[in-house]
Amino acid sequence: MAATLNATTPLFALLIGASRGQERLTARRVGGVLVGVGGVTVLVGLGPVRPDPPLLLAVTASLLAALCLGLGGVYAARHFATVPPTAVAAGQQLAAALLLPLLPFAPPPELPGARSTWAGPGAALPCTALGFALFYRIVAAHGPATALTVTFLVPVFGVLWGALLLDEPLTPSMLIGLAAVLASVVLVTRRPGATVTGMTSDAPEGPPTVDASNPVAILTARGVPFRLHPHPALDTPQEVCAALGIPLERTVKTLAFTAPDDRLVLAALPGHARLRYGPLARAAGVRRTDLTPAPAERLEKLDMQPGGICPVCADESAVVVFDERLTDAGRIYCGSGRRDSSVEIEASELIALIPAAKIAAIAAFADARTKEERGA
């Protein structure tokens, strides 16, 4: 029962994200929350243990623990995305050790035996220490929603080990409650409208058709695998990271400019970097002073909005310059053309979509300023 209650963690993560404007409570997700509450009710009210006050208190404590875990996942994704996962896990465990000075005030009734002594580090090292190091690595790479799906398996193994090792009863009501909680988690965490496209035999070859004018349509027409993540209308990579629970280093921001000959110049660089205008101008074959921000009207003709610009566009004459660090960036998140969604795609496949794309060192990081920038 405790293991199944722990599976409500993604439900709390959804509610916390919604309260911060990072998640949208759709009808399907709200329905998932209600199904989860019903599953917990079945577990508590119809389980093998009579629902007396001590049990209800224990259930409340378990739900509060799940709430804290959901809050911790959202907090870690927002504030520790750039910290090494092992450092975050070590800090978490060392913080727990701060409770050791309280041991004399609440000593155990007896000293643990040899089996219990060995069971402690046996569970702490592979299950807790290594488990949390992997957990924070997944948070940094894919966000808290994906990482917290680990709680889906906890009830399964909790029921399994309880029945096999402790002879705990496996009642029909437990199976019903377990199924309801897991179903609710699936309903809540599956992003609405997220699509995955892949290379298929009937995928159109060659350039996209005239109707495929926006970036998502072009990606679909080319048969490139990608995932579309809806979110509230946002303007900056930092806001996208907060909404999707991803590190800033995994995002790509695209800035649009126009050249004197009316060509469109797109500069794609990591979301945590700033643009170096000199290298961009040289890569585009123009002077630095020739680059002017592209007007919104120009972007609208390509079915794109400021704040959601994508390196892929229907303008074949556009000059697209990628920062050199993106060539081996792996899975990244970039604009979809709209402010209310982002595209998750392999950086190498994104660059390969644009045969005439240019690669240059157009990004500056942290406080490392070039001689050219200092002179300017």
Side-chain angles (χ1 to χ4, degrees):
M1 181 181 294
T4 308
L5 291 174
N6 188 57
T8 60
T9 296
L11 304 181
F12 288 115
L14 168 69
L15 297 176
I16 295 169
S19 67
R20 300 180 61 87
Q22 299 176 11
E23 297 282 359
R24 288 184 294 180
L25 288 179
T26 62
R28 179 177 53 77
R29 286 188 161 188
V30 173
V33 172
L34 296 178
V35 170
V37 173
V40 172
T41 302
V42 171
L43 280 169
V44 175
L46 302 178
V49 183
R50 188 175 62 183
D52 53 13
L55 176 65
L56 295 179
L57 182 62
V59 168
T60 301
S62 297
L63 292 176
L64 287 176
L67 171 63
C68 291
L69 184 57
L71 179 62
V74 175
Y75 186 88
R78 185 177 182 87
H79 298 282
F80 299 135
T82 60
V83 180
T86 52
V88 180
Q92 179 192 44
Q93 301 308 307
L94 290 175
L98 296 177
L99 296 176
L100 287 177
L102 301 179
L103 185 61
F105 300 98
E110 60 183 18
L111 293 177
R115 294 179 61 184
S116 299
T117 301
W118 284 109
L125 293 178
C127 300
T128 303
L130 177 61
F132 273 112
L134 296 174
F135 171 78
Y136 288 116
R137 184 176 296 277
I138 297 174
V139 168
H142 302 286
T146 299
L148 289 172
T149 56
V150 68
T151 57
F152 299 176
L153 297 177
V154 173
V156 176
F157 285 101
V159 171
L160 175 64
W161 302 137
L164 293 180
L165 304 178
L166 301 177
D167 295 325
E168 292 183 352
L170 191 60
T171 65
S173 64
M174 289 183 66
L175 296 177
I176 294 174
L178 172 62
V181 171
L182 295 181
S184 72
V185 171
V186 173
L187 288 172
V188 169
T189 57
R190 185 175 179 273
R191 294 188 178 277
T195 58
V196 180
T197 62
M199 298 296 290
T200 58
S201 58
D202 56 350
E205 299 180 356
T209 62
V210 176
D211 293 333
S213 59
N214 64 74
V216 173
I218 294 175
L219 292 173
T220 303
R222 294 287 180 88
V224 178
F226 72 96
R227 189 174 182 86
L228 186 64
H229 294 277
H231 52 65
L234 304 172
D235 294 309
T236 67
Q238 291 82 358
E239 293 174 335
V240 173
C241 289
L244 299 181
I246 57 175
L248 190 58
E249 288 75 8
R250 298 290 303 281
T251 64
V252 171
K253 62 182 177 183
T254 304
L255 307 178
F257 303 90
T258 54
D261 56 2
D262 202 37
R263 285 183 304 163
L264 185 68
V265 178
L266 299 177
L269 62 157
H272 63 298
R274 66 178 185 276
L275 179 64
R276 298 174 60 196
Y277 287 86
L280 172 64
R282 288 192 291 271
V286 298
R287 295 180 302 176
R288 179 172 178 171
T289 54
D290 290 336
L291 294 174
T292 58
E297 295 77 12
R298 180 70 179 273
L299 298 175
E300 288 177 0
K301 294 180 180 179
L302 301 174
D303 203 5
M304 291 198 290
Q305 302 171 339
I309 305 174
C310 181
V312 177
C313 70
D315 187 351
E316 297 183 355
S317 65
V319 179
V320 183
V321 183
F322 289 92
D323 180 66
E324 59 184 8
R325 294 201 184 189
L326 297 180
T327 56
D328 58 354
R331 202 82 176 163
I332 54 90
Y333 295 78
C334 68
S336 66
R338 298 179 56 86
R339 296 172 54 241
D340 58 1
S341 58
S342 296
V343 168
E344 179 184 358
I345 190 173
E346 287 290 332
S348 58
E349 295 181 350
L350 178 66
I351 297 174
L353 272 174
I354 310 170
K358 301 179 182 297
I359 309 296
I362 62 173
F365 299 87
D367 295 327
R369 303 176 65 194
T370 64
K371 180 178 179 181
E372 178 184 3
E373 289 175 316
R374 288 193 295 268

